[in-house]
Each structure stands twice: as structure tokens, then as C-alpha cells.
Amino acid sequence: MKNTISILCLLLLLLVGCNQDDIQRNKELENSIHTIVSDKSQSEIRIKSLTNFEWEEAFLFTPYSTQGSIEKQLGFYFKDPSNLEMRDDIYLMVFVNGGKVVQYVELDRHTSDFSIGDKDHLTPKKDVISIERNK
């Protein structure tokens, strides 16, 4: 009986430790990106100039990216809050600092697609996202 209680306590601690409640969806950044995309003269977005929080890497996940592919690219567990695997209407951008996700944004792809070229991820020094407008 003591072993069962110990195991249950350990599982509870693990669940609490994996809590993602402190990860924020940054709607202000989403709005800033939307404003840039709305300006047809703009063909790229410099993400660092739009952020007001610390980040070391930013990952751009395309529509239909699976939970497994997201975790593989990040290199650690992260529960996709947007259910991207079942969606084709957004890109998911995940910001990492100190080996953990600190914020994320959902980028509407109604009028545009986004690309970071052949890079795996962005950094504050290499932070350009290309805008590819739908015709």
C-alpha cells in the first residue's frame, strides 16, 4: 500500500512539473505581425524588433505539423496548445528561452504563408520571416 501511495505522489509531482500554464499566447505580437502582413509593401518580418521578452530560439511550425514533429524539432516535450496537427489555417511560432517554451503565437495564413528559408529556427540575430502572399 505504501508503494502505491508513493507511486501516486510521484506521478502527481510529475504532472505538476509538466504544467504549461505559464506559457502565454502573445496576442499583441500576433496583432503586430498581422499589421505588417496587411501592408502589401512589406515582404519580410523582423521578429526581434517586435518582441519585448527574452528568447534564444523561435520555431515556425507549418499547418498539419504533428505533436511528434514539434517535439522532435524543439528537442523536448511541449504540448501544442493550438492543435496544429488538425489545422490548416495557422502557423505556430514557438519561442524558447533557457531550454523551455516561454511564449507562442498563432499566425493566420488566410492571406499569406510564412517561411524562414532553410533554417531550423530563428535567433534574435537571424530573425527574418518571409511573407508569401496568397493570390
Side-chain angles (χ1 to χ4, degrees):
M1 183 67 165
K2 283 186 177 182
N3 285 341
T4 303
I5 292 173
S6 296
I7 291 172
L8 288 174
C9 288
L10 179 62
L11 289 174
L12 181 61
L13 287 173
L14 286 173
L15 286 174
V16 170
C18 293
N19 189 352
Q20 294 185 166
D21 288 340
D22 58 338
I23 300 170
Q24 298 177 10
R25 178 176 173 188
N26 190 325
K27 292 188 178 188
E28 183 180 322
L29 179 55
E30 288 176 7
N31 290 336
S32 295
I33 292 170
H34 178 72
T35 299
I36 292 170
V37 171
S38 296
D39 180 352
K40 302 283 192 243
S41 69
Q42 300 292 322
S43 61
E44 59 185 35
I45 304 166
R46 299 207 61 102
I47 290 296
K48 178 65 178 160
S49 67
L50 301 175
T51 58
N52 60 1
F53 56 91
E54 294 294 319
W55 59 279
E56 299 168 337
E57 299 173 309
F59 295 84
L60 183 65
F61 298 103
T62 59
Y64 300 119
S65 291
T66 65
Q67 179 69 41
S69 68
I70 291 171
E71 290 176 12
K72 183 177 180 181
Q73 193 167 352
L74 289 174
F76 56 84
Y77 174 79
F78 171 68
K79 175 68 176 129
D80 170 17
S82 62
N83 197 25
L84 191 61
E85 188 168 358
M86 305 298 253
R87 298 181 68 177
D88 68 354
D89 61 328
I90 63 166
Y91 284 80
L92 178 67
M93 179 170 275
V94 176
F95 294 88
V96 175
N97 194 47
K100 68 177 192 167
V101 175
V102 291
Q103 293 193 27
Y104 71 94
V105 295
E106 295 178 0
L107 303 177
D108 180 21
R109 67 179 295 248
H110 179 72
T111 60
S112 301
D113 285 316
F114 304 94
S115 172
I116 61 171
D118 59 355
K119 299 181 289 280
D120 287 340
H121 62 275
L122 300 174
T123 65
K125 290 184 180 181
K126 296 184 180 185
D127 66 335
V128 176
I129 297 176
S130 297
I131 303 169
E132 300 170 9
R133 290 190 174 72
N134 299 330
K135 303 209 181 211

